[in-house]
Amino acid sequence: MKIVMPGGTGQVGAILNRALTAAGHEVVVLTRRPVRDREVRWDGETLGAWAEEIDGSDIVVNLAGRSVNCRYTVANLRAMMDSRVRSARVVGEAIAAAARPPRVWLQMSTATVYAHRFDAPNDEATGVLGGTEPGVPGYWGYSVKIAEAWERAQERAETPHTRKVSMRSAMVMSPDRGGVFDVLLRLTRLGLGGPVAGGAQYVSWIHDRDFVRAVEFLAGRDDLTGPVNLAAPVPLPQRAFMHTLRAAWGVPVGLPATRWMAELGAFALRSDTELLLKSRRVVPGRLLETGFAFEHARWPEAADDLVRRVRGGPGLTG
């Protein structure tokens, strides 16, 4: 199959590209700065020659959008909003104009769309969308608005011959350098992998190989449309999440961090504390209902696998 991946040069795109290419598919990545074979230039906003790649393709997996790994300034939040909405809109325009449109459009979204909560998990049917929770920073609500606008841009696209799925993904855990697991493991090895602000906030995650398998599953299921949560079925509190990671690596102690310490750390890393402090208790209701079987459903086994792959070297990260 021919698979087109707008914005496919980031960590998640690299994971998918590696796996899908190894499976024998033709993968074309749309990027602002093409440097490798099968990378095609686009600007993420306007139709151009790149749209010819979508015409006649089988699947579009749109991953485009400014990275969330940054300080959540007004300018950066606006860039996140604009890059996601504009890229989804122009992908829709390209599909609508195609003489042979792809049969499915998988659009990246985020588990951040759900409310910060501890009391119950969020699935697609009963989950509570965020933006109005009391006692959280106001800009967290803007993150939810970004996710909603991202999904709305896909929903409104006039693509009657192309099935559309919005992938509300949790953090994808892989041994690749620069990814979220790499950052968490580095903190763990430094003895800093303890609870943050008490550690009661839930962490939702998905193993990289299950993420790839879920994408393949969604591409092959003609009966699935709309939002689908891509997250392992057992989220857990941050304190337990990091305790398990410390055990997998063999680090006995992880220093705790208060909220203000987390603020300082996030500032130093040029990131934002929402990524650490928001309780993302998300479960994959629709995937489980339709028969998807996770290979790495629980964090202890997943963490052990990821640690083995890190220690085994880059050749085992596929």
Side-chain angles (χ1 to χ4, degrees):
M1 292 189 298
K2 180 178 180 181
I3 301 168
V4 179
M5 292 201 306
T9 56
Q11 182 216 4
V12 171
I15 291 168
L16 281 175
N17 194 347
R18 189 166 59 221
L20 296 173
T21 299
H25 302 296
E26 177 190 359
V27 178
V28 176
V29 172
L30 304 183
T31 173
R32 295 176 186 272
R33 289 177 287 275
V35 294
R36 299 179 181 86
D37 186 38
R38 306 309 296 157
E39 292 184 348
V40 173
R41 186 181 304 277
W42 82 325
D43 65 2
E45 298 185 14
T46 54
L47 285 173
W50 59 266
E52 297 172 7
E53 299 291 345
I54 287 180
D55 195 342
S57 67
D58 298 286
I59 301 169
V60 172
V61 185
N62 184 23
L63 307 172
R66 193 203 192 288
S67 172
V68 299
N69 189 22
C70 63
R71 297 296 294 169
Y72 282 14
T73 63
V74 172
N76 284 343
L77 287 169
R78 172 51 61 182
M80 288 183 212
M81 174 75 85
D82 290 347
S83 62
R84 282 159 174 73
V85 171
R86 290 172 182 171
S87 61
R89 186 180 297 147
V90 78
V91 166
E93 291 172 0
I95 293 174
R100 295 170 297 161
R103 59 182 178 81
V104 61
W105 170 12
L106 304 179
Q107 171 67 45
M108 194 65 166
S109 184
T110 172
T112 296
V113 74
Y114 292 107
H116 169 76
R117 66 188 301 200
F118 304 86
D119 59 321
N122 291 302
D123 64 13
E124 300 90 339
T126 64
V128 178
L129 299 187
T132 60
E133 308 97 308
V136 302
Y139 71 90
W140 286 16
Y142 192 77
S143 293
V144 174
K145 290 181 180 178
I146 292 172
E148 291 176 327
W150 204 5
E151 294 183 3
R152 194 160 51 243
Q154 184 198 32
E155 182 183 331
R156 290 178 175 174
E158 295 292 337
T159 57
H161 304 293
T162 300
R163 179 169 57 90
K164 297 183 287 190
V165 177
S166 179
M167 303 187 297
R168 292 178 175 173
S169 180
M171 294 185 292
V172 180
M173 298 291 169
S174 88
D176 297 277
R177 294 297 299 273
V180 62
F181 182 78
D182 183 48
V183 173
L184 294 174
L185 186 59
R186 196 180 318 140
L187 293 173
T188 298
R189 295 169 69 178
L190 292 171
L192 302 175
V196 175
Q201 65 274 24
Y202 276 80
V203 177
S204 286
W205 58 277
I206 185 168
H207 188 281
D208 62 335
R209 288 172 176 165
D210 276 335
F211 179 83
V212 171
R213 292 177 58 249
V215 168
E216 293 172 332
F217 181 84
L218 293 173
R221 286 291 300 242
D222 291 338
D223 56 331
L224 279 172
T225 61
V228 177
N229 293 346
L230 271 62
V234 188
L236 66 171
Q238 187 266 345
R239 69 168 76 90
F241 183 90
M242 294 306 297
H243 180 272
T244 300
L245 180 53
R246 295 199 307 271
W249 191 262
V251 177
V253 176
L255 295 177
T258 62
R259 183 180 290 265
W260 70 264
M261 292 168 67
E263 290 281 0
L264 288 176
F267 183 81
L269 293 170
R270 300 188 65 79
S271 185
D272 197 90
T273 53
E274 185 202 37
L275 303 174
L276 296 171
L277 300 178
K278 183 170 181 176
S279 186
R280 294 172 172 84
R281 192 175 178 183
V282 179
V283 293
R286 298 189 72 193
L287 281 179
L288 294 176
E289 289 168 3
T290 50
F292 181 79
F294 284 84
E295 291 183 352
H296 302 277
R298 296 184 177 273
W299 180 235
E301 184 274 331
D304 285 343
D305 175 78
L306 292 164
V307 163
R308 279 196 302 269
R309 290 162 67 195
V310 169
R311 286 180 163 150
L316 298 180
T317 62

